[in-house]
Protein backbone atom coordinates (compact mmCIF):
# COMPACT_ATOMS: atom_id res chain seq x y z
CA UNK A 1 0.00 0.00 0.00
CA UNK A 2 2.82 2.41 0.88
CA UNK A 3 4.38 1.66 -2.50
CA UNK A 4 1.13 2.62 -4.27
CA UNK A 5 0.92 5.88 -2.32
CA UNK A 6 4.55 6.68 -3.11
CA UNK A 7 4.03 5.85 -6.77
CA UNK A 8 0.86 7.96 -6.88
CA UNK A 9 2.71 10.86 -5.18
CA UNK A 10 5.50 10.65 -7.75
CA UNK A 11 2.93 10.63 -10.54
CA UNK A 12 1.20 13.72 -9.15
CA UNK A 13 4.53 15.47 -8.72
CA UNK A 14 5.52 14.64 -12.30
CA UNK A 15 2.12 15.71 -13.61
CA UNK A 16 2.29 19.03 -11.75
CA UNK A 17 5.82 19.65 -13.06
CA UNK A 18 4.83 18.74 -16.62
CA UNK A 19 1.84 21.07 -16.38
CA UNK A 20 4.09 23.90 -15.18
CA UNK A 21 6.40 23.33 -18.14
CA UNK A 22 3.48 23.46 -20.54
CA UNK A 23 2.25 26.71 -18.99
CA UNK A 24 5.76 28.12 -19.28
CA UNK A 25 5.92 27.03 -22.93
CA UNK A 26 2.62 28.77 -23.60
CA UNK A 27 3.94 31.95 -21.98
CA UNK A 28 7.10 31.82 -24.12
CA UNK A 29 4.96 31.18 -27.18
CA UNK A 30 2.86 34.26 -26.36
CA UNK A 31 5.99 36.38 -25.92
CA UNK A 32 7.39 35.18 -29.25
CA UNK A 33 4.07 35.89 -31.00
CA UNK A 34 3.94 39.36 -29.43
CA UNK A 35 7.53 40.05 -30.58
CA UNK A 36 6.69 38.96 -34.11
CA UNK A 37 3.51 41.02 -34.13
CA UNK A 38 5.34 44.13 -32.97
CA UNK A 39 8.12 43.57 -35.49
CA UNK A 40 5.47 43.48 -38.22
CA UNK A 41 4.00 46.72 -36.89
CA UNK A 42 7.44 48.35 -36.82
CA UNK A 43 7.89 47.38 -40.46
CA UNK A 44 4.42 48.64 -41.41
CA UNK A 45 4.84 51.99 -39.64
CA UNK A 46 8.28 52.44 -41.17
CA UNK A 47 6.94 51.71 -44.64
CA UNK A 48 4.12 54.24 -44.15
CA UNK A 49 6.55 56.82 -42.79
CA UNK A 50 9.11 56.59 -45.57
CA UNK A 51 7.20 58.42 -48.34
CA UNK A 52 6.00 61.00 -45.81
CA UNK A 53 9.56 61.94 -44.86
CA UNK A 54 9.82 63.79 -48.17
CA UNK A 55 6.28 65.14 -48.27
CA UNK A 56 6.30 67.82 -45.61
CA UNK A 57 3.23 66.19 -43.99
CA UNK A 58 4.58 66.61 -40.47
CA UNK A 59 1.26 66.11 -38.68
CA UNK A 60 0.59 62.80 -40.41
CA UNK A 61 4.11 61.51 -39.88
CA UNK A 62 3.99 62.60 -36.22
CA UNK A 63 1.10 60.22 -35.55
CA UNK A 64 3.00 57.34 -37.13
CA UNK A 65 6.15 58.33 -35.26
CA UNK A 66 4.39 58.34 -31.90
CA UNK A 67 3.03 54.85 -32.47
CA UNK A 68 6.38 53.60 -33.73
CA UNK A 69 8.18 54.95 -30.66
CA UNK A 70 5.62 53.36 -28.35
CA UNK A 71 5.89 49.91 -29.90
CA UNK A 72 9.69 50.09 -30.20
CA UNK A 73 9.90 50.66 -26.44
CA UNK A 74 7.51 47.76 -25.86
CA UNK A 75 9.50 45.54 -28.23
CA UNK A 76 12.66 46.06 -26.20
CA UNK A 77 10.97 44.47 -23.18
CA UNK A 78 9.94 41.29 -25.01
CA UNK A 79 13.23 39.41 -24.66
CA UNK A 80 13.27 38.11 -21.08
CA UNK A 81 15.63 35.28 -20.22
CA UNK A 82 14.15 31.97 -21.33
CA UNK A 83 12.03 33.42 -24.15
CA UNK A 84 14.21 32.15 -26.97
CA UNK A 85 12.29 31.22 -30.08
CA UNK A 86 10.85 32.42 -33.32
CA UNK A 87 13.30 34.13 -35.65
CA UNK A 88 15.28 35.59 -32.76
CA UNK A 89 18.89 34.45 -32.64
CA UNK A 90 20.25 32.91 -29.46
CA UNK A 91 22.91 35.64 -29.65
CA UNK A 92 20.32 38.00 -28.13
CA UNK A 93 20.67 36.18 -24.84
CA UNK A 94 24.36 35.38 -25.25
CA UNK A 95 25.43 38.97 -26.03
CA UNK A 96 22.76 40.82 -24.09
CA UNK A 97 24.77 44.05 -23.75
CA UNK A 98 25.18 44.44 -27.51
CA UNK A 99 21.52 43.63 -28.11
CA UNK A 100 20.48 46.25 -25.55
CA UNK A 101 22.82 48.77 -27.19
CA UNK A 102 21.28 48.10 -30.61
CA UNK A 103 17.78 48.49 -29.16
CA UNK A 104 18.75 51.74 -27.45
CA UNK A 105 20.21 53.11 -30.71
CA UNK A 106 17.00 52.16 -32.53
CA UNK A 107 14.83 53.93 -29.96
CA UNK A 108 17.15 56.94 -29.93
CA UNK A 109 16.95 57.21 -33.71
CA UNK A 110 13.15 57.20 -33.50
CA UNK A 111 13.31 59.94 -30.86
CA UNK A 112 15.56 61.94 -33.22
CA UNK A 113 12.91 61.58 -35.92
CA UNK A 114 10.48 63.13 -33.43
CA UNK A 115 12.77 66.11 -32.95
CA UNK A 116 12.96 66.59 -36.72
CA UNK A 117 9.18 66.46 -36.90
CA UNK A 118 8.80 68.98 -34.08
CA UNK A 119 11.27 71.30 -35.83
CA UNK A 120 9.58 70.64 -39.19
CA UNK A 121 13.05 69.97 -40.60
CA UNK A 122 12.65 67.81 -43.69
CA UNK A 123 16.39 67.38 -44.24
CA UNK A 124 17.11 66.05 -40.75
CA UNK A 125 13.89 64.01 -40.90
CA UNK A 126 15.15 62.11 -43.95
CA UNK A 127 18.61 61.73 -42.39
CA UNK A 128 17.19 60.45 -39.10
CA UNK A 129 14.82 58.09 -40.87
CA UNK A 130 17.76 56.64 -42.81
CA UNK A 131 19.70 56.21 -39.56
CA UNK A 132 16.73 54.41 -38.02
CA UNK A 133 16.48 52.13 -41.06
CA UNK A 134 20.18 51.42 -40.89
CA UNK A 135 19.83 50.52 -37.21
CA UNK A 136 17.12 48.01 -38.16
CA UNK A 137 19.36 46.37 -40.74
CA UNK A 138 22.37 46.23 -38.43
CA UNK A 139 20.39 44.56 -35.67
CA UNK A 140 18.79 42.07 -38.07
CA UNK A 141 22.16 41.05 -39.48
CA UNK A 142 23.47 40.32 -35.99
CA UNK A 143 20.44 39.01 -34.09
CA UNK A 144 18.00 37.35 -36.48
CA UNK A 145 18.12 33.70 -37.52
Amino acid sequence: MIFKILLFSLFLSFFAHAHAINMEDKNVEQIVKKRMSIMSKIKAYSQKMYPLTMSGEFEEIKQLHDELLKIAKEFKLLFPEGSQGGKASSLIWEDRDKFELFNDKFISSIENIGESINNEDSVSLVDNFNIMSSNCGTCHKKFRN
Side-chain angles (χ1 to χ4, degrees), residues 62-85:
K62 174 140 181 56
Q63 292 172 358
L64 293 170
H65 163 268
D66 292 348
E67 284 299 314
L68 179 61
L69 182 59
K70 177 182 156 196
I71 62 174
K73 288 179 177 179
E74 183 179 354
F75 181 74
K76 182 180 176 182
L77 303 175
L78 292 173
F79 293 89
E81 189 61 43
S83 68
Q84 290 87 332

Side-chain angles (χ1 to χ4, degrees), residues 67-127:
E67 284 299 314
L68 179 61
L69 182 59
K70 177 182 156 196
I71 62 174
K73 288 179 177 179
E74 183 179 354
F75 181 74
K76 182 180 176 182
L77 303 175
L78 292 173
F79 293 89
E81 189 61 43
S83 68
Q84 290 87 332
K87 295 179 182 178
S89 170
S90 61
L91 287 175
I92 290 170
W93 293 270
E94 294 167 13
D95 193 354
R96 190 59 167 207
D97 291 339
K98 185 165 268 192
F99 181 70
E100 292 291 331
L101 177 66
F102 282 25
N103 258 303
D104 291 341
K105 283 183 176 182
F106 179 62
I107 291 169
S108 178
S109 63
I110 297 171
E111 290 170 340
N112 291 339
I113 288 172
E115 288 180 30
S116 298
I117 294 167
N118 291 337
N119 295 330
E120 296 190 3
D121 184 344
S122 295
V123 174
S124 72
L125 176 59
V126 170
D127 289 344

